[in-house]
Amino acid sequence: MTPSRYRRGILGACGVLGFLVLVELAGRVGLIDPGLLPYVSDVLVAAAGLPFEEKFLIDVLATLEACALGLLIALVTAVPAGLLLGTVPMVERSVRPLVEFLRPIPSVSLIPLAMFLFPASQDAKTALVAYTCAWPLLINTMYGLADVDPLAKETLRSFGFGPLAVVLRVNLPSAAPFIATGIRIAVSVTLIVAVSVELIAAGDGGLGTFISLAGGANRVDRMLAATVWAGFIGLAVNLLFTMGERRVFRWHQARAGVAG
């Protein structure tokens, strides 16, 4: 971590800590009704105890399983589709109107449809996560192919390589950094979509179900504690993917810096 990033991290942590202290003080002096919003300290104590509860861990694993499987399905479908659309202009022109029509539809608006098509909550979560992740992967793959050096493709063709070899040896490696960015974007929304499905289909397991049941039992401290963990999980996963992307594709960032 560079000194500037380290300083930004310290300042960000101080900002969060300061906000939590202010909310705690507001509750202690009576500005916030503890019956409506528990003390921050109570929420943090509840959050510290949740990892030791088997039910909570099972629910978290159910959510992460749906996220991982949905992301995997999106990878094996959207990336090949992006390669096809990015390399065959006729197909891209034919499919582009459908892509532009479907892409802006909010994923959460499709939750009732997903639950109708997939009665099992876990299947509905997986399907909706896959649908949501497919768009950044598809668009970034196509965008990455537009950045491929034409000279590299022509050079390979001049040596007798066919279209498939050009795709695998030039197009895909060149588009890989853009695909990685698409994966990072997709990962950042998987937890949101999965938890949203679980909140509506409360009772079928998952982190959203845990939050919903805690709220229904008027355990606002546990509800907020689980929400805090959802935020931590999302932040940690995004941070891991960001670090991995920077490490694996450092050469691409250096090239972009030179070009800029």
Side-chain angles (χ1 to χ4, degrees):
M1 180 180 289
T2 62
S4 61
R5 288 178 186 165
Y6 181 77
R7 284 195 296 269
R8 286 199 299 267
I10 293 294
L11 291 174
C14 290
V16 172
L17 181 60
F19 172 76
L20 295 178
V21 170
L22 286 177
V23 175
E24 175 78 11
L25 291 175
R28 295 294 179 182
V29 300
L31 295 178
I32 299 177
D33 183 3
L36 297 177
L37 187 65
Y39 296 131
V40 171
S41 55
D42 292 339
V43 174
L44 295 179
V45 168
L50 286 182
F52 301 98
E53 297 185 15
E54 182 180 2
K55 178 64 170 63
F56 176 75
L57 295 178
I58 292 174
D59 284 336
V60 169
L61 289 177
T63 300
L64 294 180
E65 179 184 354
C67 291
L69 184 56
L71 179 61
L72 179 61
I73 292 173
L75 272 172
V76 300
T77 55
V79 172
L83 290 173
L84 177 64
L85 296 179
T87 54
V88 185
M90 183 179 298
V91 176
E92 191 273 339
R93 287 193 294 269
S94 300
V95 178
R96 171 68 71 172
L98 180 62
V99 171
E100 294 300 329
F101 172 74
L102 293 176
R103 188 162 61 99
I105 298 177
S107 299
V108 291
S109 68
L110 298 176
I111 292 177
L113 177 62
M115 295 178 63
F116 175 77
L117 296 175
F118 305 95
S121 174
Q122 195 73 0
D123 295 339
K125 282 187 291 185
T126 302
L128 206 55
V129 167
Y131 174 84
T132 305
C133 293
W135 295 116
L137 289 170
L138 177 69
I139 300 303
N140 274 54
T141 301
M142 295 173 61
Y143 184 76
L145 291 176
D147 192 58
V148 176
D149 184 3
L151 180 60
K153 293 190 289 186
E154 291 301 326
T155 301
L156 210 61
R157 292 192 187 103
S158 68
F159 282 98
F161 288 92
L164 182 59
V166 173
V167 170
L168 296 179
R169 292 172 178 265
V170 177
N171 291 1
L172 185 57
S174 297
F178 297 89
I179 296 173
T181 300
I183 294 174
R184 178 167 52 82
I185 296 172
V187 166
S188 66
V189 298
T190 55
L191 194 62
I192 298 173
V193 174
V195 171
S196 298
V197 176
E198 293 163 353
L199 286 170
I200 294 177
D204 289 341
L207 186 55
T209 297
F210 187 95
I211 293 172
S212 180
L213 294 178
N218 202 29
R219 290 298 309 273
V220 183
D221 57 336
R222 289 173 60 82
M223 181 184 72
L224 293 177
T227 304
V228 168
W229 272 109
F232 274 131
I233 293 171
L235 181 63
V237 172
N238 184 69
L239 181 61
L240 287 175
F241 272 85
T242 301
M243 292 173 60
E245 181 185 356
R246 287 173 179 165
R247 182 176 295 273
V248 174
F249 298 107
R250 187 177 300 168
W251 57 270
H252 181 263
Q253 296 174 4
R255 190 184 72 176
V258 172

